[in-house]
Amino acid sequence: MLRIGLSGGIGAGKSTVSATFSDLGGIVVDGDVIAREVVEPGTEGLARLVEAFGDGILRPDGALDRPALAAIAFSDDEKRATLNGIVHPLVGARRAEIIDAAPADAVIVEDIPLLVESQMAPMFPLVVIVHADEDVRIRRLVEHRGFSESDARARIKAQASEQQRRDVADVWLDNHGDAEDLRARARALWQDRILPFAHNLDAGTPAVGAPVLVDADPTWPDQARRIVARLQTACGHHAVRIDHVGSTAVPGLPAKDVIDVQVTVRDLAVADELSDAIVTAGYPRVADVTADTPHTDDVDGWTKRFHASADPGRLTNVHLRADGNPNQRFALLFRDWLRADPDARADYLAWKRTVADAGHADTGAYAEAKEPWFAEARPRAEAWARATGWQP
Protein backbone atom coordinates (compact mmCIF):
# COMPACT_ATOMS: atom_id res chain seq x y z
CA MET A 1 0.00 0.00 0.00
CA LEU A 2 1.30 3.41 -0.98
CA ARG A 3 0.04 6.41 0.97
CA ILE A 4 0.33 9.85 -0.61
CA GLY A 5 -0.14 13.10 1.26
CA LEU A 6 -1.89 15.70 -0.91
CA SER A 7 -2.25 19.31 0.17
CA GLY A 8 -2.25 22.92 -0.93
CA GLY A 9 -3.54 26.27 0.17
CA ILE A 10 -7.20 27.10 -0.12
CA GLY A 11 -8.03 27.97 -3.73
CA ALA A 12 -4.85 26.39 -5.11
CA GLY A 13 -6.61 23.59 -7.01
CA LYS A 14 -6.01 20.62 -4.75
CA SER A 15 -9.53 19.29 -5.35
CA THR A 16 -8.86 19.04 -9.10
CA VAL A 17 -5.77 16.91 -8.48
CA SER A 18 -7.63 14.81 -5.91
CA ALA A 19 -10.49 14.14 -8.35
CA THR A 20 -8.01 13.22 -11.10
CA PHE A 21 -6.23 10.72 -8.85
CA SER A 22 -9.62 9.25 -7.91
CA ASP A 23 -10.55 8.84 -11.58
CA LEU A 24 -7.26 7.00 -12.13
CA GLY A 25 -7.98 4.47 -9.38
CA GLY A 26 -6.66 6.08 -6.22
CA ILE A 27 -8.63 5.73 -3.02
CA VAL A 28 -9.07 9.32 -1.92
CA VAL A 29 -9.40 10.00 1.78
CA ASP A 30 -10.65 13.58 1.74
CA GLY A 31 -9.91 15.52 4.90
CA ASP A 32 -12.57 18.13 4.08
CA VAL A 33 -15.26 15.48 3.64
CA ILE A 34 -14.26 13.72 6.84
CA ALA A 35 -14.06 17.03 8.69
CA ARG A 36 -17.70 17.63 7.76
CA GLU A 37 -18.73 14.11 8.77
CA VAL A 38 -17.25 14.35 12.27
CA VAL A 39 -19.24 17.49 13.11
CA GLU A 40 -22.64 16.43 11.77
CA PRO A 41 -25.62 16.92 14.13
CA GLY A 42 -25.56 14.41 16.94
CA THR A 43 -21.79 13.82 16.81
CA GLU A 44 -19.27 14.22 19.59
CA GLY A 45 -17.41 16.68 17.40
CA LEU A 46 -20.29 19.13 17.08
CA ALA A 47 -21.04 18.95 20.79
CA ARG A 48 -17.45 19.83 21.65
CA LEU A 49 -17.43 22.74 19.18
CA VAL A 50 -20.59 24.19 20.76
CA GLU A 51 -19.03 23.82 24.19
CA ALA A 52 -15.92 25.69 23.00
CA PHE A 53 -17.49 28.40 20.82
CA GLY A 54 -21.12 28.70 21.91
CA ASP A 55 -24.55 28.18 20.33
CA GLY A 56 -23.90 30.99 17.86
CA ILE A 57 -22.09 28.53 15.57
CA LEU A 58 -25.31 26.56 14.97
CA ARG A 59 -27.93 27.12 12.28
CA PRO A 60 -31.62 27.06 13.24
CA ASP A 61 -31.84 23.40 12.19
CA GLY A 62 -29.04 22.45 14.61
CA ALA A 63 -26.36 21.91 11.95
CA LEU A 64 -23.00 23.64 12.06
CA ASP A 65 -22.94 27.16 10.61
CA ARG A 66 -19.51 26.98 9.02
CA PRO A 67 -19.16 30.67 8.11
CA ALA A 68 -20.05 31.62 11.69
CA LEU A 69 -17.47 29.21 13.08
CA ALA A 70 -14.84 30.43 10.59
CA ALA A 71 -15.48 34.05 11.54
CA ILE A 72 -14.66 33.19 15.14
CA ALA A 73 -11.89 30.62 14.75
CA PHE A 74 -9.87 32.24 11.98
CA SER A 75 -9.74 35.60 13.68
CA ASP A 76 -7.53 34.43 16.54
CA ASP A 77 -4.59 31.99 16.75
CA GLU A 78 -5.68 30.56 20.09
CA LYS A 79 -9.23 29.92 18.91
CA ARG A 80 -7.97 28.32 15.73
CA ALA A 81 -5.75 26.04 17.82
CA THR A 82 -8.82 25.10 19.90
CA LEU A 83 -10.75 24.26 16.73
CA ASN A 84 -7.90 22.14 15.37
CA GLY A 85 -7.47 20.39 18.72
CA ILE A 86 -11.09 19.26 18.59
CA VAL A 87 -11.43 18.35 14.92
CA HIS A 88 -8.02 16.90 14.00
CA PRO A 89 -8.09 13.85 16.34
CA LEU A 90 -11.60 12.95 15.18
CA VAL A 91 -10.61 13.28 11.53
CA GLY A 92 -7.52 11.16 12.18
CA ALA A 93 -9.52 8.35 13.73
CA ARG A 94 -12.00 8.29 10.84
CA ARG A 95 -9.17 8.41 8.30
CA ALA A 96 -7.55 5.38 9.93
CA GLU A 97 -10.81 3.43 9.65
CA ILE A 98 -11.02 4.08 5.90
CA ILE A 99 -7.37 3.15 5.28
CA ASP A 100 -7.63 -0.06 7.29
CA ALA A 101 -10.50 -1.15 5.04
CA ALA A 102 -8.55 -0.57 1.78
CA PRO A 103 -6.91 -3.40 -0.25
CA ALA A 104 -3.27 -4.13 0.51
CA ASP A 105 -2.10 -2.96 -2.94
CA ALA A 106 -4.13 0.27 -2.96
CA VAL A 107 -2.82 3.75 -3.61
CA ILE A 108 -4.27 5.87 -0.82
CA VAL A 109 -4.44 9.59 -1.55
CA GLU A 110 -4.90 11.46 1.71
CA ASP A 111 -6.29 14.88 0.82
CA ILE A 112 -5.37 16.95 3.89
CA PRO A 113 -5.84 20.73 3.75
CA LEU A 114 -3.73 21.32 6.87
CA LEU A 115 -1.10 18.67 6.24
CA VAL A 116 1.72 21.15 6.79
CA GLU A 117 0.15 22.89 9.78
CA SER A 118 -0.51 19.57 11.52
CA GLN A 119 3.09 18.42 10.84
CA MET A 120 1.86 15.24 9.16
CA ALA A 121 4.08 15.38 6.05
CA PRO A 122 6.77 12.95 7.35
CA MET A 123 4.09 10.27 7.74
CA PHE A 124 3.86 9.86 3.94
CA PRO A 125 6.26 8.23 1.47
CA LEU A 126 5.28 10.94 -1.03
CA VAL A 127 3.90 14.44 -0.48
CA VAL A 128 2.27 16.34 -3.35
CA ILE A 129 1.62 20.06 -2.94
CA VAL A 130 -0.62 22.05 -5.29
CA HIS A 131 0.24 25.74 -5.42
CA ALA A 132 -1.01 28.99 -6.87
CA ASP A 133 0.04 32.54 -6.03
CA GLU A 134 -2.01 34.39 -3.45
CA ASP A 135 -3.63 36.82 -5.87
CA VAL A 136 -4.76 33.93 -8.07
CA ARG A 137 -6.22 32.09 -5.09
CA ILE A 138 -8.05 35.18 -3.83
CA ARG A 139 -9.61 35.73 -7.25
CA ARG A 140 -10.79 32.13 -7.39
CA LEU A 141 -12.26 32.25 -3.90
CA VAL A 142 -14.12 35.48 -4.61
CA GLU A 143 -15.35 34.55 -8.11
CA HIS A 144 -16.13 30.88 -7.66
CA ARG A 145 -16.74 30.27 -3.96
CA GLY A 146 -18.47 33.42 -2.80
CA PHE A 147 -15.81 34.67 -0.37
CA SER A 148 -15.36 38.32 0.30
CA GLU A 149 -11.82 39.48 -0.40
CA SER A 150 -11.16 40.09 3.30
CA ASP A 151 -12.42 36.61 4.23
CA ALA A 152 -10.24 35.05 1.51
CA ARG A 153 -7.16 36.89 2.74
CA ALA A 154 -7.86 35.92 6.36
CA ARG A 155 -8.23 32.26 5.44
CA ILE A 156 -5.00 32.27 3.43
CA LYS A 157 -3.11 34.08 6.18
CA ALA A 158 -4.22 31.45 8.71
CA GLN A 159 -2.69 28.65 6.63
CA ALA A 160 0.92 27.63 6.03
CA SER A 161 3.20 29.86 4.00
CA GLU A 162 4.51 28.96 0.56
CA GLN A 163 7.97 28.27 2.01
CA GLN A 164 6.56 25.96 4.67
CA ARG A 165 4.82 23.97 1.94
CA ARG A 166 7.93 23.87 -0.22
CA ASP A 167 9.88 22.48 2.72
CA VAL A 168 7.73 19.31 2.76
CA ALA A 169 6.91 18.91 -0.95
CA ASP A 170 8.31 15.94 -2.83
CA VAL A 171 6.21 17.08 -5.81
CA TRP A 172 5.27 20.71 -6.43
CA LEU A 173 2.40 21.29 -8.88
CA ASP A 174 2.03 24.93 -9.92
CA ASN A 175 -1.54 25.75 -10.90
CA HIS A 176 -1.58 29.08 -12.68
CA GLY A 177 -3.20 27.80 -15.87
CA ASP A 178 -6.55 26.20 -16.54
CA ALA A 179 -7.96 23.10 -14.87
CA GLU A 180 -7.27 20.84 -17.84
CA ASP A 181 -3.57 21.69 -17.77
CA LEU A 182 -3.45 20.75 -14.08
CA ARG A 183 -5.34 17.52 -14.73
CA ALA A 184 -2.89 16.60 -17.51
CA ARG A 185 0.10 17.09 -15.21
CA ALA A 186 -1.62 15.13 -12.44
CA ARG A 187 -2.23 12.24 -14.87
CA ALA A 188 1.40 12.30 -15.97
CA LEU A 189 2.54 12.26 -12.33
CA TRP A 190 0.28 9.28 -11.65
CA GLN A 191 1.51 7.26 -14.62
CA ASP A 192 5.20 8.15 -14.50
CA ARG A 193 5.87 8.17 -10.77
CA ILE A 194 3.02 7.14 -8.51
CA LEU A 195 2.04 3.87 -10.21
CA PRO A 196 5.67 2.66 -10.55
CA PHE A 197 6.27 3.65 -6.93
CA ALA A 198 3.22 1.65 -5.81
CA HIS A 199 4.22 -1.35 -7.94
CA ASN A 200 7.78 -1.36 -6.58
CA LEU A 201 6.56 -1.07 -3.02
CA ASP A 202 4.05 -3.89 -3.47
CA ALA A 203 6.72 -6.11 -5.04
CA GLY A 204 9.35 -5.19 -2.45
CA THR A 205 11.62 -3.94 -5.25
CA PRO A 206 13.66 -0.73 -5.11
CA ALA A 207 13.62 1.66 -8.05
CA VAL A 208 16.79 1.56 -10.12
CA GLY A 209 18.72 4.11 -12.11
CA ALA A 210 21.81 4.24 -14.29
CA PRO A 211 25.14 5.17 -12.62
CA VAL A 212 25.31 8.57 -14.26
CA LEU A 213 27.38 11.35 -12.74
CA VAL A 214 25.52 14.70 -12.67
CA ASP A 215 26.36 18.20 -11.53
CA ALA A 216 25.68 18.98 -7.88
CA ASP A 217 22.04 19.83 -7.23
CA PRO A 218 21.61 22.63 -4.67
CA THR A 219 18.28 21.05 -3.61
CA TRP A 220 19.89 17.77 -2.52
CA PRO A 221 20.18 18.91 1.14
CA ASP A 222 16.49 19.93 1.19
CA GLN A 223 15.48 16.62 -0.35
CA ALA A 224 17.60 14.81 2.21
CA ARG A 225 15.96 16.71 5.08
CA ARG A 226 12.56 15.41 3.95
CA ILE A 227 13.89 11.87 3.77
CA VAL A 228 15.51 12.16 7.20
CA ALA A 229 12.24 13.49 8.68
CA ARG A 230 10.36 10.57 7.10
CA LEU A 231 12.81 8.04 8.52
CA GLN A 232 12.79 9.71 11.93
CA THR A 233 9.02 9.31 11.98
CA ALA A 234 9.33 5.66 10.93
CA CYS A 235 12.14 4.79 13.36
CA GLY A 236 11.21 6.94 16.34
CA HIS A 237 13.45 6.63 19.36
CA HIS A 238 15.01 3.42 18.01
CA ALA A 239 17.34 5.52 15.84
CA VAL A 240 20.35 6.94 17.67
CA ARG A 241 20.80 9.48 14.86
CA ILE A 242 19.96 9.84 11.17
CA ASP A 243 22.34 11.62 8.79
CA HIS A 244 22.61 12.63 5.16
CA VAL A 245 25.89 11.06 4.01
CA GLY A 246 27.66 10.25 0.76
CA SER A 247 28.52 12.51 -2.15
CA THR A 248 25.19 14.36 -2.28
CA ALA A 249 25.91 15.58 1.26
CA VAL A 250 29.02 17.42 0.06
CA PRO A 251 28.08 20.85 -1.37
CA GLY A 252 29.20 21.37 -4.96
CA LEU A 253 30.37 17.79 -5.55
CA PRO A 254 29.04 16.09 -8.71
CA ALA A 255 27.49 12.72 -7.92
CA LYS A 256 24.95 10.14 -8.93
CA ASP A 257 21.49 11.55 -8.26
CA VAL A 258 20.99 9.22 -5.29
CA ILE A 259 20.53 10.43 -1.72
CA ASP A 260 22.40 8.32 0.85
CA VAL A 261 21.09 8.34 4.41
CA GLN A 262 22.62 6.58 7.40
CA VAL A 263 20.37 5.42 10.22
CA THR A 264 22.48 4.75 13.28
CA VAL A 265 21.03 2.12 15.62
CA ARG A 266 22.21 0.54 18.83
CA ASP A 267 22.80 -2.78 17.07
CA LEU A 268 21.59 -4.59 13.96
CA ALA A 269 18.90 -6.45 15.90
CA VAL A 270 17.21 -3.05 16.19
CA ALA A 271 17.68 -2.57 12.43
CA ASP A 272 15.83 -5.82 11.82
CA GLU A 273 13.01 -4.74 14.12
CA LEU A 274 12.68 -1.49 12.17
CA SER A 275 12.52 -3.19 8.77
CA ASP A 276 8.72 -3.22 8.38
CA ALA A 277 8.39 0.42 9.40
CA ILE A 278 11.06 1.48 6.92
CA VAL A 279 9.38 -0.51 4.15
CA THR A 280 6.07 1.19 4.93
CA ALA A 281 7.85 4.55 4.65
CA GLY A 282 8.71 3.64 1.04
CA TYR A 283 12.07 1.88 1.32
CA PRO A 284 12.09 -1.88 0.54
CA ARG A 285 14.75 -4.06 2.15
CA VAL A 286 17.59 -5.29 -0.06
CA ALA A 287 18.26 -8.52 1.78
CA ASP A 288 21.39 -9.59 -0.07
CA VAL A 289 23.31 -6.44 0.94
CA THR A 290 24.57 -7.21 4.43
CA ALA A 291 27.93 -5.44 4.71
CA ASP A 292 30.13 -2.65 3.41
CA THR A 293 33.51 -3.36 1.87
CA PRO A 294 36.08 -2.91 4.66
CA HIS A 295 38.90 -0.51 3.88
CA THR A 296 41.33 -2.22 6.29
CA ASP A 297 42.42 -5.75 7.15
CA ASP A 298 40.02 -5.61 10.12
CA VAL A 299 36.72 -6.90 8.69
CA ASP A 300 34.78 -6.72 11.94
CA GLY A 301 32.19 -4.00 12.31
CA TRP A 302 31.36 -3.52 8.63
CA THR A 303 28.01 -5.31 8.61
CA LYS A 304 24.79 -3.37 8.00
CA ARG A 305 21.21 -3.57 6.81
CA PHE A 306 20.24 -1.86 3.58
CA HIS A 307 17.01 -0.46 2.16
CA ALA A 308 16.45 1.54 -1.03
CA SER A 309 13.59 3.73 -2.21
CA ALA A 310 10.76 2.32 -4.30
CA ASP A 311 10.16 5.83 -5.65
CA PRO A 312 11.58 6.21 -9.19
CA GLY A 313 11.45 9.97 -8.76
CA ARG A 314 13.80 10.06 -5.75
CA LEU A 315 16.39 7.31 -5.66
CA THR A 316 17.58 6.84 -2.10
CA ASN A 317 19.88 4.43 -0.26
CA VAL A 318 19.19 3.83 3.44
CA HIS A 319 22.11 2.29 5.35
CA LEU A 320 21.42 1.00 8.87
CA ARG A 321 24.66 0.68 10.83
CA ALA A 322 25.47 0.03 14.46
CA ASP A 323 26.59 2.96 16.59
CA GLY A 324 30.38 3.11 16.87
CA ASN A 325 31.14 0.49 14.25
CA PRO A 326 33.89 1.39 11.76
CA ASN A 327 31.48 1.66 8.82
CA GLN A 328 29.11 3.91 10.76
CA ARG A 329 31.97 6.18 11.82
CA PHE A 330 33.59 6.26 8.38
CA ALA A 331 30.39 7.39 6.64
CA LEU A 332 30.38 10.52 8.81
CA LEU A 333 34.15 11.05 8.63
CA PHE A 334 34.22 10.72 4.83
CA ARG A 335 31.46 13.31 4.43
CA ASP A 336 32.99 15.82 6.82
CA TRP A 337 36.52 15.38 5.42
CA LEU A 338 35.34 16.03 1.87
CA ARG A 339 33.36 19.06 3.02
CA ALA A 340 36.48 20.49 4.66
CA ASP A 341 39.26 19.52 2.21
CA PRO A 342 39.05 20.86 -1.37
CA ASP A 343 42.03 18.76 -2.49
CA ALA A 344 40.34 15.59 -1.28
CA ARG A 345 37.15 16.60 -3.10
CA ALA A 346 39.05 17.18 -6.34
CA ASP A 347 40.89 13.88 -5.99
CA TYR A 348 37.67 11.96 -5.35
CA LEU A 349 35.86 13.66 -8.22
CA ALA A 350 38.65 12.76 -10.63
CA TRP A 351 38.34 9.12 -9.60
CA LYS A 352 34.55 9.22 -9.87
CA ARG A 353 34.81 10.59 -13.40
CA THR A 354 37.26 7.84 -14.35
CA VAL A 355 34.91 5.19 -13.00
CA ALA A 356 31.86 6.77 -14.64
CA ASP A 357 33.62 6.96 -18.00
CA ALA A 358 34.23 3.22 -17.83
CA GLY A 359 30.52 2.73 -18.47
CA HIS A 360 29.51 0.37 -15.67
CA ALA A 361 26.13 -1.23 -16.30
CA ASP A 362 24.66 -0.75 -12.84
CA THR A 363 25.16 1.14 -9.61
CA GLY A 364 26.57 -1.93 -7.85
CA ALA A 365 29.41 -2.25 -10.34
CA TYR A 366 29.99 1.49 -10.20
CA ALA A 367 30.23 1.43 -6.40
CA GLU A 368 32.59 -1.55 -6.44
CA ALA A 369 34.87 0.18 -8.94
CA LYS A 370 35.32 3.11 -6.53
CA GLU A 371 36.53 0.92 -3.64
CA PRO A 372 40.29 1.13 -4.42
CA TRP A 373 40.11 4.89 -3.93
CA PHE A 374 38.46 4.49 -0.53
CA ALA A 375 41.15 2.07 0.59
CA GLU A 376 43.83 4.62 -0.30
CA ALA A 377 41.92 7.62 1.03
CA ARG A 378 40.88 6.30 4.41
CA PRO A 379 44.32 6.85 6.07
CA ARG A 380 44.26 10.43 4.75
CA ALA A 381 40.82 10.98 6.23
CA GLU A 382 41.93 9.54 9.56
CA ALA A 383 44.99 11.81 9.56
CA TRP A 384 42.69 14.80 9.00
CA ALA A 385 40.48 13.64 11.88
CA ARG A 386 43.46 13.43 14.23
CA ALA A 387 44.79 16.82 13.13
CA THR A 388 41.47 18.58 13.59
CA GLY A 389 40.16 16.68 16.61
CA TRP A 390 37.15 15.53 14.57
CA GLN A 391 34.59 13.34 16.30
CA PRO A 392 31.31 11.97 14.88
Side-chain angles (χ1 to χ4, degrees), residues 11 28 38 67 77 82 98 101 144 148 172 181 188 198 207 230 272 283-284 302 312 318 374:
V28 175
V38 299
D77 288 344
T82 299
I98 297 172
H144 304 298
S148 69
W172 185 264
D181 174 66
R230 187 170 291 133
D272 293 333
Y283 306 95
W302 291 82
V318 182
F374 286 107

Side-chain angles (χ1 to χ4, degrees), residues 7-348:
S7 193
I10 186 169
K14 174 175 58 62
S15 297
T16 298
V17 175
S18 179
T20 303
F21 287 166
S22 179
D23 291 343
L24 292 167
I27 296 176
V28 175
V29 183
D30 190 323
D32 278 336
V33 172
I34 296 174
R36 287 192 290 271
E37 289 179 358
V38 299
V39 293
E40 290 290 334
T43 61
E44 173 195 354
L46 184 58
R48 291 179 59 190
L49 289 178
V50 171
E51 181 181 354
F53 299 106
D55 292 338
I57 65 169
L58 295 178
R59 300 199 308 246
D61 63 0
L64 179 64
D65 186 334
R66 292 183 174 276
L69 175 60
I72 297 172
F74 288 98
S75 65
D76 180 272
D77 288 344
E78 185 175 343
K79 291 175 181 177
R80 186 170 64 254
T82 299
L83 170 63
N84 291 339
I86 292 170
V87 174
H88 284 178
L90 298 172
V91 171
R94 177 59 183 145
R95 179 184 292 114
E97 290 178 5
I98 297 172
I99 294 170
D100 289 345
D105 60 351
V107 177
I108 305 292
V109 180
E110 299 196 45
D111 184 334
I112 306 174
L114 300 181
L115 180 143
V116 179
E117 293 86 341
S118 56
Q119 300 182 337
M120 294 176 66
M123 296 170 55
F124 298 96
L126 189 72
V127 171
V128 178
I129 298 292
V130 187
H131 173 73
D133 289 340
E134 184 172 321
D135 58 343
V136 174
R137 295 160 60 196
I138 290 171
R139 186 178 69 247
R140 290 171 180 165
L141 293 173
V142 171
E143 293 179 359
H144 304 298
R145 295 175 60 174
F147 281 67
S148 69
E149 182 174 338
S150 60
D151 285 344
R153 290 188 183 279
R155 189 68 66 90
I156 289 171
K157 184 180 179 181
Q159 293 186 336
S161 68
E162 177 181 339
Q163 186 57 55
Q164 287 172 319
R165 292 194 178 96
R166 286 190 182 275
D167 287 344
V168 305
D170 298 301
V171 178
W172 185 264
L173 290 177
D174 271 308
N175 178 28
H176 296 101
D178 59 27
E180 184 48 45
D181 174 66
L182 182 61
R183 281 190 286 268
R185 286 184 290 122
R187 287 193 292 267
L189 173 62
W190 186 268
Q191 297 295 336
D192 297 341
R193 185 168 182 176
I194 292 174
L195 280 186
F197 192 169
H199 171 77
N200 290 339
L201 198 57
D202 187 49
T205 305
V208 296
V212 177
L213 206 61
V214 301
D215 290 338
D217 184 339
T219 72
W220 277 337
D222 292 332
Q223 295 181 56
R225 276 191 285 273
R226 290 193 290 273
I227 295 165
V228 167
R230 187 170 291 133
L231 289 169
Q232 285 174 331
T233 298
C235 298
H237 69 278
H238 298 291
V240 175
R241 60 185 289 171
I242 302 179
D243 297 275
H244 180 199
V245 296
S247 294
T248 60
V250 181
L253 180 65
K256 299 192 314 300
D257 188 15
V258 181
I259 303 292
D260 283 274
V261 174
Q262 176 170 270
V263 179
T264 299
V265 291
R266 185 181 67 254
D267 54 48
L268 292 186
V270 175
D272 293 333
E273 293 171 3
L274 288 172
S275 181
D276 287 347
I278 294 173
V279 171
T280 300
Y283 306 95
R285 169 86 181 271
V286 184
D288 59 351
V289 177
T290 58
D292 295 301
T293 301
H295 307 132
T296 67
D297 293 334
D298 180 8
V299 298
D300 292 334
W302 291 82
T303 54
K304 69 175 181 180
R305 300 294 182 264
F306 182 70
H307 293 244
S309 177
D311 178 7
R314 179 61 275 155
L315 301 181
T316 306
N317 295 329
V318 182
H319 312 263
L320 291 98
R321 299 179 174 117
D323 193 19
N325 273 7
N327 56 351
Q328 183 266 349
R329 179 182 179 278
F330 183 70
L332 300 173
L333 169 59
F334 173 71
R335 178 199 65 189
D336 293 351
W337 174 50
L338 289 187
R339 285 176 174 177
D341 189 330
D343 291 336
R345 286 198 304 276
D347 188 18
Y348 183 43

